[in-house]
Amino acid sequence: MGKPIITLTTDFGTKDGYAGAVKGVIKRINPDAEVVDISHEIESFDILGAAFTLNNFYRYFPRGTIHLVVVDPGVGSERQPLLIKSENFHFVGPDNGVFSLIFQNETITHMVVLSNKKYFLAEISGTFHARDIFAPVAAYVSRGVGVNEFGRAAKECSKLTVPEPRLSKGKLRGEIIHIDGFGNMVTNVAAESLRGKKVVGITVGRKRIRRLSRSYSEIKEGEIGALMGSSDLLEIALNQGSAQEAIKSKAGSAVTIAFE
Amino acid sequence: MGKPIITLTTDFGTKDGYAGAVKGVIKRINPDAEVVDISHEIESFDILGAAFTLNNFYRYFPRGTIHLVVVDPGVGSERQPLLIKSENFHFVGPDNGVFSLIFQNETITHMVVLSNKKYFLAEISGTFHARDIFAPVAAYVSRGVGVNEFGRAAKECSKLTVPEPRLSKGKLRGEIIHIDGFGNMVTNVAAESLRGKKVVGITVGRKRIRRLSRSYSEIKEGEIGALMGSSDLLEIALNQGSAQEAIKSKAGSAVTIAFE
Amino acid sequence: MGKPIITLTTDFGTKDGYAGAVKGVIKRINPDAEVVDISHEIESFDILGAAFTLNNFYRYFPRGTIHLVVVDPGVGSERQPLLIKSENFHFVGPDNGVFSLIFQNETITHMVVLSNKKYFLAEISGTFHARDIFAPVAAYVSRGVGVNEFGRAAKECSKLTVPEPRLSKGKLRGEIIHIDGFGNMVTNVAAESLRGKKVVGITVGRKRIRRLSRSYSEIKEGEIGALMGSSDLLEIALNQGSAQEAIKSKAGSAVTIAFE
């Protein structure tokens, strides 16, 4: 058994020291916790972006890892602070949709609204619950405090709806849901929805792509291609370049897959 | 007791490997030290920015933490390398003002000009004292070497003057001293300077704000508001947006608070 | 002896969670490994940039450190995945030139093409070998698995050619090979190539510099100067500013050093 791990995913940037304060609070409460930065560069207030990021990494961590996710435009409002426990992980953050995508794969065993001030900092600001509530709670979880100690059970939590692709007349109509840092355009078309089907064309904007590639480098240089990305979602990509810059599509743009 | 912690706050960015070299030097001298990144994205040469960042996080760390802060445009000049010990923490970095704000809250017990080459790298460049002097000193401090081993006592150190707000005729005239990563404009008006006073208006540029909010989300969407931020300083903010983009004020711009 | 260290240098950014997945995979295979971020901000697909970054930090780490370097535009193609062992370090990443600069200083003892799937994730994507191959291999190396377990010996590996300066008629003609985050322009002129010579002028573009300075602050404010940088290469620099912005030279621009 290694030390307990707490991962951090925020939109704080690093230059104001806000993420630093979060780390300090954790280490003061549990010096044995290992803090792992995932990102402090989520777009400001981009809740769905945080949900996607979380979904791309959380399952690779050891069992028991505590994932702290704070993109929190509603800090200080009536939005609730949450602790979610699944069979494999803990999740701590605001109840605003940042955890929307974990429910597809995780079996949730507990969901608690954080209210026990014994596990908060002594003074709670109206602007920085990551430091005053979420970090101390994550640290106490890492020390083994039981989930039900932190507050009452939550009945439900906020979930953002991610659009589903629609199938009709030999075509699957999906859309771009995320542009990654390389400019790859990730769609909502899952690998399994194409299983057993023969793809004869992919259309995005005015661009028509003939076939699925297996890797970025299988796409001819300078051409737009399509392939199953690392999260098993269809991606529109450019070999050694940014597909997004090349074809200017955005999140929300339609992508159509034609079958034989 | 956890392992000794060394935090890093620099303007190095990460892509040149300079911050990496600092980490390597520390781990080579003390494999048990835990290195915690605060930021490598301080604006180049922004000494006051580093001082603010440090002030936002340092006190949340466990007692004994060593804070390494290197924004060092004068590297290789006659500016002195410093080790400061307070009742709670150690601070290592150049004597150029990066430690200006800790003196408000810390009781300083030792201040030493680093000169004992036994605790430096064997070769000292003229351009990279973070690697050659500050990192090894921080690592030796984390191994328990006494403060006075590193050099002679310093009589004083550089302090940047942060402007103080002025009170006259029922008004407090302060100014914006920092724009954070969300575009919130932090002023030099401390919460305690408003204690017991009834605020009836806040003016920044041509913008007039009627009252203090308690959280960002209490400000109406699309409107500029004012509130006490997480460091107990008055902030001008926009709900889910950048106040700085909206009203184009800068560090140095006047902010006036009117009382009843 | 400290815990085994695995450093990470990639062009992944942090906001998509890709670097997070790499960290999770490592911690799951070896909870005792200490993961140290060097950079996830290498320019997309900039193999030479990664090679420079690696060269600036790797040697400062403790003996036995495992350096994972993934800038990998050819992922999924026939480019080989590599494990290199030198007398002091391990290096893991794609065989595309990211390790070009370590051969100058390291004595290589083993070079292996990664093929033993026992040490990969169960499913290998065509787009993300950092997660599926390189991270698990690094983690198993950190657990003590012998180098030859991972695959067959490689005969050679890709090396990018870094241009060499040319000497003629009392002049050394080099070029700018890298611009750092401060805007300092690093050349291919090594300190040792100037040893024993008296420099009487340095020319870069239309700018003529009279002498070598020893530190950035020895250059007059607002003037362009030249000095030996922290990697013992000649740099063109501006005191408290960006030389690159001031004189608009680029990687590849000529730099001429005249001797007496």
Side-chain angles (χ1 to χ4, degrees):
Chain A
M1 270 290 293
K3 299 193 300 180
I5 295 173
I6 299 174
T7 75
L8 303 186
T9 307
T10 80
D11 63 348
F12 297 163
T14 63
K15 74 175 78 170
D16 299 302
Y18 300 148
V22 166
K23 296 179 190 186
V25 167
I26 291 171
K27 296 301 292 184
R28 184 173 274 205
I29 293 171
N30 188 359
D32 279 335
E34 183 168 352
V35 177
V36 175
D37 287 307
I38 302 299
S39 183
H40 300 294
E41 310 301 335
I42 305 295
E43 290 295 319
S44 296
F45 320 125
D46 183 5
I47 293 170
L48 187 58
F52 276 116
T53 301
L54 177 64
N55 199 39
N56 276 346
F57 75 82
Y58 81 87
R59 75 198 72 188
Y60 295 98
F61 273 83
R63 216 161 174 267
T65 294
I66 300 153
H67 297 297
L68 190 65
V69 184
V70 190
V71 172
D72 193 14
V75 59
S77 72
E78 72 282 9
R79 75 95 189 86
Q80 301 286 4
L82 275 191
L83 166 60
I84 300 172
K85 186 180 186 320
S86 73
E87 284 184 345
N88 299 299
F89 304 106
H90 291 85
F91 301 88
V92 181
D95 180 15
N96 61 11
V98 292
F99 302 119
S100 296
L101 302 182
I102 63 167
F103 297 95
Q104 299 168 2
N105 293 287
E106 292 298 302
T107 305
I108 307 300
T109 61
H110 299 74
M111 200 152 67
V112 166
V113 176
L114 304 171
S115 61
N116 189 343
K117 291 189 176 173
K118 178 174 161 190
Y119 301 114
F120 298 173
L121 289 200
E123 282 187 58
I124 310 294
S125 70
T127 58
F128 196 9
H129 289 184
R131 177 192 66 191
D132 305 336
I133 295 178
F134 300 124
V137 164
Y140 283 111
V141 171
S142 78
R143 279 174 49 171
V145 174
V147 173
N148 293 319
E149 283 290 302
F150 293 95
R152 66 179 194 282
K155 294 229 174 54
E156 46 186 6
C157 80
S158 297
K159 286 176 202 172
L160 301 174
T161 47
V162 181
E164 285 287 322
R166 287 171 306 120
L167 185 68
S168 73
K169 298 184 190 167
K171 287 184 176 174
L172 191 63
R173 290 162 204 277
E175 64 183 71
I176 292 165
I177 52 172
H178 180 66
I179 315 281
D180 82 5
F182 293 100
N184 301 315
M185 299 187 294
V186 182
T187 74
N188 59 348
V189 177
E192 58 183 18
S193 68
L194 299 181
R195 205 150 286 155
K197 297 199 170 78
K198 183 158 178 8
V199 172
V200 296
I202 297 130
T203 309
V204 49
R206 291 184 196 160
K207 185 74 205 167
R208 176 147 172 121
I209 299 159
R210 284 167 192 273
R211 61 183 195 86
L212 283 179
S213 300
R214 275 165 304 176
S215 69
Y216 300 118
S217 54
E218 210 184 273
I219 302 167
K220 274 192 196 148
E221 264 197 71
E223 285 193 13
I224 296 286
L227 77 179
M228 281 301 152
S230 56
S231 298
D232 287 333
L233 292 172
L234 184 76
E235 277 179 25
I236 311 300
L238 187 68
N239 185 355
Q240 300 201 36
S242 164
Q244 200 275 328
E245 278 181 23
I247 63 176
K248 307 286 181 204
S249 292
K250 296 181 198 169
S253 296
V255 176
T256 307
I257 298 98
F259 311 115
E260 212 175 41
Chain B
M1 270 290 294
K3 299 193 301 180
I5 295 173
I6 299 174
T7 76
L8 303 186
T9 305
T10 80
D11 62 350
F12 296 164
T14 63
K15 74 175 77 168
D16 299 302
Y18 301 150
V22 166
K23 295 177 189 186
V25 167
I26 291 171
K27 296 301 290 184
R28 184 173 273 204
I29 292 171
N30 187 0
D32 280 336
E34 184 168 353
V35 177
V36 175
D37 286 309
I38 302 300
S39 183
H40 300 294
E41 310 302 335
I42 304 295
E43 290 295 318
S44 297
F45 320 126
D46 182 7
I47 293 169
L48 187 57
F52 277 116
T53 300
L54 177 65
N55 199 40
N56 275 347
F57 75 83
Y58 81 87
R59 74 197 74 187
Y60 296 99
F61 273 83
R63 217 162 173 265
T65 293
I66 299 153
H67 296 298
L68 190 65
V69 184
V70 189
V71 172
D72 193 14
V75 59
S77 72
E78 71 282 7
R79 74 97 191 85
Q80 300 287 3
L82 274 192
L83 167 59
I84 299 172
K85 187 180 186 318
S86 73
E87 283 182 349
N88 299 300
F89 304 106
H90 291 85
F91 302 88
V92 181
D95 180 15
N96 62 11
V98 292
F99 301 120
S100 295
L101 301 182
I102 63 169
F103 297 96
Q104 300 167 1
N105 293 288
E106 292 299 300
T107 304
I108 307 300
T109 60
H110 298 76
M111 199 153 67
V112 165
V113 176
L114 303 171
S115 61
N116 189 344
K117 291 188 176 172
K118 179 174 160 189
Y119 301 114
F120 298 174
L121 291 199
E123 281 186 58
I124 310 294
S125 70
T127 59
F128 196 8
H129 288 184
R131 177 192 66 191
D132 305 337
I133 294 178
F134 301 124
V137 164
Y140 283 111
V141 170
S142 78
R143 280 174 49 172
V145 173
V147 173
N148 292 320
E149 282 290 301
F150 293 95
R152 67 179 193 282
K155 294 229 173 57
E156 47 186 6
C157 80
S158 297
K159 287 175 201 172
L160 301 173
T161 48
V162 181
E164 287 286 323
R166 285 170 308 119
L167 184 69
S168 72
K169 299 182 189 166
K171 288 185 177 173
L172 191 63
R173 293 163 201 277
E175 64 182 74
I176 292 166
I177 52 172
H178 180 67
I179 315 282
D180 81 6
F182 294 99
N184 300 317
M185 300 187 294
V186 183
T187 74
N188 59 349
V189 176
E192 57 182 20
S193 69
L194 299 182
R195 203 149 288 155
K197 297 199 171 78
K198 183 157 180 4
V199 173
V200 295
I202 298 130
T203 308
V204 49
R206 292 183 196 161
K207 185 74 206 165
R208 176 148 172 121
I209 299 158
R210 283 167 191 272
R211 61 183 195 85
L212 282 178
S213 300
R214 274 164 305 174
S215 69
Y216 300 119
S217 54
E218 210 183 274
I219 302 168
K220 276 193 197 148
E221 264 198 71
E223 285 193 14
I224 296 286
L227 76 180
M228 281 300 152
S230 57
S231 298
D232 287 334
L233 293 173
L234 184 76
E235 276 180 27
I236 310 300
L238 188 67
N239 186 355
Q240 301 202 36
S242 164
Q244 199 275 326
E245 278 181 24
I247 62 176
K248 308 286 182 204
S249 291
K250 296 181 200 168
S253 297
V255 176
T256 307
I257 298 98
F259 311 114
E260 213 174 42
Chain C
M1 272 290 293
K3 298 194 301 181
I5 295 172
I6 299 175
T7 75
L8 303 185
T9 306
T10 80
D11 63 350
F12 296 164
T14 62
K15 75 174 77 167
D16 299 301
Y18 300 148
V22 166
K23 295 178 189 186
V25 168
I26 291 170
K27 295 301 292 184
R28 184 173 273 204
I29 294 172
N30 188 0
D32 280 336
E34 184 168 353
V35 177
V36 175
D37 286 309
I38 303 299
S39 184
H40 300 293
E41 310 301 335
I42 304 294
E43 290 295 318
S44 297
F45 320 124
D46 183 5
I47 293 170
L48 187 57
F52 276 116
T53 301
L54 177 64
N55 199 39
N56 276 347
F57 75 82
Y58 81 87
R59 78 197 71 189
Y60 295 100
F61 273 82
R63 219 161 171 265
T65 294
I66 300 154
H67 297 297
L68 190 65
V69 184
V70 189
V71 172
D72 192 15
V75 59
S77 72
E78 70 283 6
R79 74 97 191 84
Q80 301 287 2
L82 274 191
L83 166 60
I84 300 173
K85 187 179 186 318
S86 74
E87 284 183 346
N88 299 301
F89 304 106
H90 291 84
F91 302 88
V92 181
D95 180 15
N96 62 10
V98 291
F99 301 120
S100 296
L101 301 183
I102 63 167
F103 297 95
Q104 299 167 2
N105 293 288
E106 291 299 300
T107 305
I108 307 300
T109 61
H110 298 75
M111 200 153 67
V112 165
V113 176
L114 303 172
S115 62
N116 190 344
K117 291 188 177 172
K118 179 174 160 189
Y119 301 114
F120 298 173
L121 291 200
E123 282 188 57
I124 309 294
S125 70
T127 58
F128 196 9
H129 288 185
R131 177 192 67 190
D132 305 336
I133 295 178
F134 300 124
V137 165
Y140 284 111
V141 170
S142 77
R143 280 173 49 171
V145 174
V147 173
N148 293 320
E149 283 289 302
F150 292 95
R152 67 179 193 282
K155 294 229 173 56
E156 47 186 7
C157 79
S158 297
K159 287 176 201 172
L160 300 173
T161 47
V162 181
E164 286 287 322
R166 286 172 305 119
L167 185 69
S168 72
K169 296 184 191 166
K171 288 185 176 173
L172 191 63
R173 292 163 202 276
E175 65 182 71
I176 292 166
I177 52 173
H178 180 68
I179 314 282
D180 81 6
F182 293 100
N184 301 316
M185 301 187 294
V186 183
T187 73
N188 59 348
V189 178
E192 57 183 19
S193 68
L194 298 182
R195 204 149 288 154
K197 297 198 170 77
K198 182 159 180 3
V199 172
V200 294
I202 299 131
T203 309
V204 49
R206 291 184 196 160
K207 185 74 206 167
R208 177 149 173 122
I209 299 159
R210 284 165 191 273
R211 61 182 195 86
L212 282 178
S213 298
R214 274 164 305 174
S215 69
Y216 300 118
S217 54
E218 209 184 275
I219 302 167
K220 274 191 197 150
E221 263 197 72
E223 285 192 12
I224 297 286
L227 77 180
M228 281 301 152
S230 57
S231 297
D232 286 333
L233 292 172
L234 184 76
E235 277 180 26
I236 310 301
L238 187 68
N239 185 356
Q240 300 202 36
S242 164
Q244 199 274 328
E245 277 182 24
I247 63 176
K248 308 286 181 203
S249 292
K250 296 180 197 171
S253 297
V255 176
T256 307
I257 298 98
F259 310 115
E260 213 176 42

